[in-house]
Amino acid sequence: MSVARYHSQLRQSAAERRAETHPLTWRLREDGAMVGLDEYVAKDGYAAVREVFDRQSPEDVVATMKTANVRGRGGGGFSAGMKWSLTMKGPDIPRGYLLCNADEMEPGTFKDRLLLEQQPHLLIEGMILAAYANHSYYGYIFLRGEYVDAARSLARALEEARAAGWLGRDIAGSDFDFDIVLHTGAGRYICGEETALINSLEGQRANPRDKPPFPGQSGAWGKPTVVNNVETLCNAPAVMRHGADWYQDLSADVSEDGGTKLYGISGKVVRSGLWELPIGTTGRELLERAGGMRDGRALKTWLPGGGSTGFLLPEHLDQALDFDTIGELGSRLGTGLLTVVNEDQSVLSLVRNLEQFFARESCGWCTPCRDGLPWTVKLLQALERGEGESGDLELLDKLADDLGPAKTFCAHAPGASMPLQSALKYFRDEFERGVAPPSHAAQADSTPGFIHQQVR
Ligand SMILES: Cc1cc2nc3c(=O)[nH]c(=O)nc-3n(C[C@H](O)[C@H](O)[C@H](O)COP(=O)(O)O)c2cc1C
Ligand code: SF4
């Protein structure tokens, strides 16, 4: 069932993936088929749940997650233990909801898909642990609509888990009740933003919500709600089974962040795909594992973690791919899936393509995003045709700035700004080449550049 057919898959053999070093992928089969309940249980599956229920309180689980320093793999890198601790407070038990963000629509990103299609029981086990820690009584998996194979795998796994008593009332004799609903989205990028996701789940238009209150205070249906990415939740079983120190040790040589990361590469490399490696592995190692650049072309630039991250240069390849290091370089680790660009490719066209995507996916609530992104696309298209005008680059600088942090209701606009701003910084000459030489008529026109741009 559910054999992966797409080109982007795990590129590590079963011999390389071991329980001690590859907590996310060691159980995956060579044939790419889903790991069913029997096989999952035979490979130590649900052992973490049993152990936690036997010996640990919700507070213990949160403390272990904090010490392990599992940082959110959805792109923000927020500590999962810290997030879980926020919903611990309050008198009501059960308290609220656990939402798994499986909307994965970030350009160049396909990591959650692997886990969802091939190992849904790992996610279910992670969700049980998170729900126990947060006193949640219901969980939802918000799944990207186009992931039909993942929907099939998840539906089967949920049924298996329910039949075996891993979901429902009194799980494993623990007195703890928890069940999960699979909710398929309609395929909008903005539904991945956690508060838009909540609105969509409630049947409302998928606009992000104003914050505060944050979901941990008041989320789905007004209840305290934890929203976590698929990969984040999939880390919980190994952390609880083997402890925070073991998890930290997995990446101790290369990063302060704990554990492994499901990294990936796509673009002009010999073989795109996914690899589970210690978090903090370098981009160079990843590129080598991908067989290097295709057709002997040189690397021009790369995005470290999806379309909403900033471009980096070949000289950054030896930096650790972790949240703080990539942040210090002016970009973001994001999803940790690299998009590689070669010397023949146009960064201008790539950015135009990305901004077209972001413009289309804007929810339209804030002006810089709703109006600024289509305007940006128009300017980039003109530059691509060689019909840009003097002042266009300065205008793009201003638009990128207006899309930046703290100027809009959600991080969609700052995400759209990152590739634009970094491309203007590193590849300005490409943009400059798109400005047409001034014509006689234009030279005679005394209209100030900025006003001229606005009315054209
Ligand atoms: C426009 C936009 C799209 C997003 N899409 C996703 C997504 O598809 N999956 C995801 O896990 N997080 C996505 N996020 C981040 C979520 O808002 C949220 O931070 C994340 O689900 C939290 O999980 P984590 O702490 O486990 O990373 C998106 C954010 C924005 C602004
Ligand atoms: S930044 Fe864009 S996507 Fe986010 S709320 Fe504003 S208009 Fe909507």
Side-chain angles (χ1 to χ4, degrees):
M1 151 118 188
S2 197
V3 177
R5 286 178 299 273
Y6 49 95
H7 71 283
S8 307
Q9 37 191 294
L10 194 66
R11 298 292 190 185
Q12 288 162 307
S13 68
E16 190 183 341
R17 292 181 272 114
R18 287 174 290 119
E20 310 84 64
T21 48
H22 293 73
L24 297 172
T25 59
W26 72 271
R27 298 182 180 93
L28 292 185
R29 301 162 56 107
E30 290 281 33
D31 65 5
M34 170 186 150
V35 178
L37 180 68
D38 292 345
E39 187 177 352
Y40 186 70
V41 170
K43 291 177 173 170
D44 210 34
Y46 292 105
V49 169
R50 204 180 280 285
E51 243 175 51
V52 163
F53 285 174
D54 279 353
R55 291 192 219 127
Q56 299 195 36
S57 67
E59 289 77 9
D60 293 336
V61 176
V62 169
T64 306
M65 285 296 282
K66 267 191 192 169
T67 313
N69 197 19
V70 182
R71 298 184 66 175
R73 306 303 202 235
F78 192 76
S79 154
M82 192 71 78
K83 188 181 280 190
W84 294 8
S85 71
L86 300 177
T87 49
M88 297 287 308
K89 303 178 187 95
D92 308 337
I93 290 182
R95 197 157 290 152
Y97 297 102
L98 170 68
L99 309 186
C100 168
N101 193 340
D103 194 49
E104 192 166 71
M105 269 187 75
E106 181 69 24
T109 298
F110 41 85
K111 66 181 179 71
D112 296 340
R113 178 177 184 174
L114 178 93
L115 298 169
L116 294 163
E117 288 181 353
Q118 298 186 25
Q119 201 175 202
H121 282 290
L122 182 65
L123 175 62
I124 295 171
E125 186 173 12
M127 287 184 73
I128 297 169
L129 293 167
Y132 175 73
N134 287 286
H135 305 290
S136 305
Y137 54 110
Y138 251 99
Y140 289 83
I141 300 171
F142 190 102
L143 179 68
R144 173 179 175 175
E146 292 92 335
Y147 277 8
V148 285
D149 284 344
R152 241 178 258 132
S153 290
L154 284 166
R156 178 183 142 193
L158 288 169
E159 224 171 85
E160 288 177 338
R162 233 170 260 130
W166 293 113
L167 290 174
R169 291 210 171 275
D170 191 23
I171 297 173
S174 63
D175 240 10
F176 175 64
D177 306 335
F178 177 67
D179 211 333
I180 298 174
V181 175
L182 174 61
H183 176 97
T184 311
R188 294 314 305 261
Y189 179 64
I190 197 58
C191 289
E193 196 281 339
E194 58 186 10
T195 57
L197 185 153
I198 292 171
N199 270 343
S200 176
L201 196 61
E202 289 183 0
Q204 303 181 50
R205 183 178 165 153
N207 286 107
R209 291 181 178 177
D210 200 4
K211 288 162 266 205
F214 292 94
Q217 304 162 289
S218 173
W221 295 281
K223 294 281 186 190
T225 299
V226 168
V227 186
N228 271 133
N229 170 257
V230 173
E231 186 187 350
T232 312
L233 290 162
C234 285
N235 275 290
V239 172
M240 298 318 299
R241 184 94 171 100
H242 305 296
D245 290 344
W246 169 85
Y247 189 77
Q248 276 271 304
D249 282 348
L250 290 173
S251 53
D253 293 343
V254 283
S255 178
E256 307 235 311
D257 297 344
T260 59
K261 175 84 192 72
L262 203 44
Y263 289 112
I265 284 202
S266 63
K268 302 289 185 184
V269 291
V270 172
R271 49 174 201 160
S272 58
L274 293 163
W275 290 263
E276 184 183 4
L277 298 166
I279 193 162
T281 296
T282 63
R284 188 173 307 283
E285 170 158 359
L286 219 51
L287 186 56
E288 279 164 11
R289 283 176 177 265
M293 299 299 293
R294 203 188 302 160
D295 303 326
R297 311 308 296 160
L299 171 69
K300 180 176 183 176
T301 184
W302 52 290
L303 291 164
S308 65
T309 61
F311 285 100
L312 293 175
L313 298 175
E315 69 207 49
H316 298 130
L317 275 181
D318 293 313
Q319 301 287 331
L321 289 169
D322 66 20
F323 291 100
D324 294 342
T325 309
I326 299 299
E328 280 157 20
L329 297 176
S331 184
R332 292 191 311 121
L333 178 62
T335 58
L337 274 82
L338 279 53
T339 305
V340 166
V341 181
N342 78 17
E343 57 188 324
D344 299 334
Q345 291 180 282
S346 158
V347 172
L348 169 59
S349 295
L350 183 53
V351 171
R352 188 263 308 145
N353 192 309
L354 284 173
E355 299 307 330
Q356 250 173 336
F357 169 81
F358 290 124
R360 193 187 67 216
E361 297 296 329
S362 165
C363 85
W365 193 15
C366 349
T367 309
C369 184
R370 180 191 59 240
D371 293 343
L373 283 171
W375 194 4
T376 301
V377 171
K378 272 192 180 169
L379 290 167
L380 294 172
Q381 284 171 329
L383 291 168
E384 260 186 312
R385 291 192 305 268
E387 293 171 6
E389 294 180 10
S390 131
D392 276 2
L393 268 64
E394 291 69 27
L395 188 50
L396 282 171
D397 287 333
K398 177 161 180 3
L399 285 165
D401 192 53
D402 288 346
L403 292 164
K407 292 175 179 152
T408 52
F409 280 111
C410 90
H412 178 82
S417 169
M418 272 216 141
L420 176 62
Q421 222 157 17
S422 54
L424 283 162
K425 175 175 157 195
Y426 291 129
F427 302 100
R428 206 169 181 87
D429 54 330
E430 273 193 38
F431 291 74
E432 277 162 356
R433 282 200 295 275
V435 177
S439 70
H440 203 63
Q443 273 174 333
D445 182 357
S446 61
T447 311
F450 186 66
I451 296 170
H452 186 66
Q453 298 288 353
Q454 283 181 313
V455 296
R456 104 169 165 222

